[in-house]
Amino acid sequence: MASRTLAVWEHRKVVGLLVRRDLKVKYQQSVLGYAWTMLEPLALTMVYWFVFGIVLQADRGMPNDGDVPGGYILFLVAGILPWTIFGSILGEAPRAMITHSKLITTMKVPREIFPMATVSTKFVEYLLTWPVLLIFVFAMGGQFSWVGMFFWLPLAIVLTFMFGLGVTLFLSAVNVLLRDVERLTRILTRILFYGSAILFPAAMVLDSGAPGWAKTIYELNPLMGIFQMHRTVWFSDYAELTPSTLALTSAVVGSILMFVIGYWTFRRLETSVLKEL
């Protein structure tokens, strides 16, 4: 693994070229171009704010003091922006190898580069959505803490990248051999969206009348802890919106395990995948 990691590092410029190519292709014939990166999650936020915040009153899971900076709408934005990127990773992960099949069979580079380029492209797009988040932070009177900026945010980004790369390595290899994986991933994406506390605080589930074992399984979802970390940057003074010890542990351990499983599967199936491509 160390030799492969070194090989990937030596070919890091290839990753950069693939990322720039993907971004250029995505926006080259679009009138609004880069603006779509911000407009899409913004539109989703408004829809979910109306449905879950106004109609279903999901904001009742927020802290009770009524003085939470930014309120429920900032809570939504801070969760939907990173989820949009992760959802895009899940959407493209099964085809990461198939899309680059010609390059894979002609270029002598580590094959891990192509899944890595897919994930890296989405992370560049995530960085491009930050203006939207910052606008909401300032407009809604949101606040940040140094602990959030220098601990929670870097940890959230690292774990999101690790988990996303592990998933992409796994799905991109398996999908070449079993094309049903792409359809199953679409179903899994919907389940994870509603099971990762994106639209409502985790406290709504943890304080509900659900069985104890169901709550434990809910907290064991690594993505729930990861997205809570993204939010905690702006809500670090509120324990209700900070990952619990179980959620934090699950996020860290789950991300590491996902990366290890994904990499092991990718290397194990690499020869078979190359024959199929």
Side-chain angles (χ1 to χ4, degrees), residues 107-128:
M107 294 180 64
K108 293 183 178 181
V109 296
R111 274 75 187 194
E112 295 92 334
I113 279 178
F114 300 99
M116 183 174 291
T118 298
V119 178
S120 298
T121 299
K122 298 308 173 184
F123 265 79
V124 172
E125 293 181 2
Y126 172 59
L127 295 177
L128 296 179

Side-chain angles (χ1 to χ4, degrees), residues 162-173:
M162 184 180 294
F163 195 94
L165 182 57
V167 168
T168 304
L169 288 168
F170 179 85
L171 294 178
S172 63

Side-chain angles (χ1 to χ4, degrees), residues 168-186:
T168 304
L169 288 168
F170 179 85
L171 294 178
S172 63
V174 176
N175 188 59
V176 173
L177 306 176
L178 186 64
R179 298 302 172 93
D180 293 333
V181 169
E182 188 171 356
R183 295 179 175 84
L184 290 173
T185 302
R186 295 172 191 164

Side-chain angles (χ1 to χ4, degrees), residues 49-82:
W49 171 73
F50 177 77
V51 174
F52 286 87
I54 303 299
V55 178
L56 300 179
Q57 297 182 344
D59 58 345
R60 64 183 182 274
M62 299 285 286
N64 296 322
D65 57 17
D67 296 323
V68 182
Y72 181 65
I73 193 165
L74 179 57
F75 173 88
L76 277 180
V77 173
I80 288 176
L81 290 182

